[in-house]
Amino acid sequence: MCWRCEQGRSVLIPSGPNPGQRHLFALLINPVEVSGYGKRPHVLMVCMCSIKDGVPFDDACILEVGDHPFVQHRSYIDYKFCEMRSADDIEAKVQNGTFVPHEDCPIPLIRRIIASADASNRISREMKRFLKAVELPPIGGAS
């Protein structure tokens, strides 16, 4: 399998307290060299989480069923877990089965996630600044 990091791709990553639990992470940018992160190309990823009754959540970007095939309940982007990762590292973890590729995110959803980051109180200032400078994907782009 020759899976490549690209804007709009998504991967299931082991996370959470339960064995086998995975969260879906969306790749918001194509791999680029990022100042302060070395010469290797990096991507910016965000985590999608289900909204649970009585549990506080980041309401900057709410996802409804149908926004992405993985979303089966009202969910949200947890900008607290927004992170820059090496594209090589992600691709290697997909190749060895640690990360599991999932269906791509529609470009309108990627645009909404990027645009909503500024409203989040959970995202770092560094990531917020970075996302303000990101070129939004074209509307007519591939889904």
Side-chain angles (χ1 to χ4, degrees), residues 56-117:
F57 63 92
D58 186 344
D59 64 357
C61 189
I62 303 295
L63 306 176
E64 301 294 342
V65 174
D67 282 342
H68 184 276
F70 188 75
V71 177
Q72 300 298 310
H73 315 279
R74 268 188 105 217
S75 299
Y76 67 101
I77 298 300
D78 196 342
Y79 290 101
K80 175 178 149 187
F81 296 109
C82 182
E83 67 176 301
M84 198 73 70
R85 284 187 94 153
S86 157
D88 293 341
D89 177 57
I90 295 168
E91 289 170 359
K93 287 182 176 169
V94 166
Q95 296 302 323
N96 73 22
T98 303
F99 294 176
V100 178
H102 208 285
E103 292 183 52
D104 291 353
C105 293
I107 292 302
L109 177 58
I110 294 298
R111 291 177 64 89
R112 183 161 48 105
I113 293 169
I114 292 170
S116 298

Side-chain angles (χ1 to χ4, degrees), residues 22-69:
R22 296 175 186 261
H23 280 93
L24 188 70
F25 280 76
L27 281 62
L28 299 182
I29 62 170
N30 284 315
V32 294
E33 218 175 274
V34 179
S35 177
Y37 286 86
K39 294 284 184 192
R40 295 179 2 178
H42 281 68
V43 295
L44 189 64
M45 306 168 59
V46 292
C47 180
M48 298 181 192
C49 299
S50 295
I51 295 174
K52 299 193 183 333
D53 288 338
V55 178
F57 63 92
D58 186 344
D59 64 357
C61 189
I62 303 295
L63 306 176
E64 301 294 342
V65 174
D67 282 342
H68 184 276

